[in-house]
Amino acid sequence: RAAWGGLASLLAGFTLSISLGWGYVDWFVILFATAFLIAMQAWVQQKTTGMLLLSGAYAGMALATKYTAGILAIAGVFLIIWDAFHRRQLLQAALPVLQFSVSVLVVFSPWIMKNILATGSPSYPFLFPAGAMDQIRLDFYQTGRPWGNWSDTILLPWRATHMGVEATPGYSASIGPLLLGLSVWAWLGYGQFPSKARSLLKTSALILAPGLFLWIILSRFSGYL
């Protein structure tokens, strides 16, 4: 039932449903992010180097698919540090952070090399003029006015769910009500859940927190974000 609930959460959104027929990357990001979450949860429980490297590899795959998915790499580092802090072993976070980061970079590096060889810019098509992206096109993408107002800093998930409509100004996506709704309802009865379920909810929340924070901050600088 939980698996069907997760599937319904995605397909209830018009944009995610219709994008199944698009030649676009978001579903690959969802796939890699799901695998990243599973691997990180396994590392939280087992503390094995293999699972840590695997989670980094999935974060690297997501980053190589879409730059904004690099938020998973940041979330992974945050989770590792938080876990060490929670166990009062903060100094011991250095090695797993390094292992995770190297795994991300190794998997992401072919994309960087391809960009350098093809365009001369490792971050193509963003940040620097290169290839087909001249300064005019960069300005169009990188200097767009932020959309919304102060309420987006405290109500962003709700506003994106309630106001987002596919291919219209603003959030420009209809993500459906279940992604937000079921994420809130998942915490009801938390104390009665098995320990593995409680651990997975904590891991999910610790991955979500830095992602949501960065989305809130960056969305005030760019309308595209």
Side-chain angles (χ1 to χ4, degrees):
R1 287 183 296 176
W4 283 114
L7 183 61
S9 297
L10 295 172
L11 296 183
F14 175 76
T15 298
L16 285 168
S17 180
I18 196 174
S19 65
L20 286 168
W22 294 350
Y24 197 52
V25 298
D26 281 349
W27 278 97
F28 283 107
V29 174
I30 292 172
L31 172 65
F32 295 139
T34 302
F36 164 79
L37 172 60
I38 294 170
M40 285 302 301
Q41 172 62 11
W43 175 79
V44 167
Q45 294 181 322
Q46 303 168 13
K47 295 298 187 295
T48 58
T49 301
M51 282 300 170
L52 184 63
L53 296 177
L54 187 61
S55 64
Y58 285 130
M61 292 178 188
L63 176 57
T65 303
K66 192 171 186 177
Y67 283 133
T68 50
I71 208 164
L72 290 177
I74 297 173
V77 171
F78 176 80
L79 176 61
I80 294 169
I81 295 174
W82 179 274
D83 181 78
F85 175 78
H86 182 70
R87 292 184 290 109
R88 299 182 180 180
Q89 298 175 342
L90 188 58
L91 294 179
Q92 296 184 14
L95 180 59
V97 165
L98 177 62
Q99 293 171 329
F100 174 82
S101 302
V102 169
S103 181
V104 173
L105 291 175
V106 167
V107 174
F108 181 53
S109 61
W111 177 264
I112 299 176
M113 294 304 299
K114 185 271 297 180
N115 275 351
I116 294 174
L117 292 173
T119 70
S121 171
S123 60
Y124 182 83
F126 298 112
L127 299 184
F128 311 106
M133 294 296 293
D134 56 25
Q135 189 62 52
I136 295 176
R137 296 187 70 188
L138 278 177
D139 288 342
F140 177 78
Y141 279 107
Q142 296 180 181
T143 60
R145 293 179 59 187
W147 189 85
N149 52 49
W150 63 269
S151 59
D152 287 279
T153 62
I154 57 175
L155 300 173
L156 185 56
W158 164 256
R159 284 173 61 85
T161 301
H162 178 63
M163 300 177 63
V165 178
E166 171 61 30
T168 62
Y171 301 104
S172 192
S174 304
I175 63 175
L178 296 186
L179 285 179
L180 176 61
L182 292 185
S183 66
V184 176
W185 284 86
W187 290 87
L188 293 181
Y190 174 82
Q192 300 176 1
F193 291 164
S195 59
K196 287 185 177 181
R198 294 197 301 270
S199 177
L200 179 57
L201 271 177
K202 289 180 180 178
T203 300
S204 301
L206 289 171
I207 290 173
L208 168 67
L212 180 58
F213 175 77
L214 288 173
W215 182 23
I216 290 172
I217 298 301
L218 294 176
S219 68
R220 306 321 306 150
F221 290 91
S222 169
Y224 284 100
L225 294 174

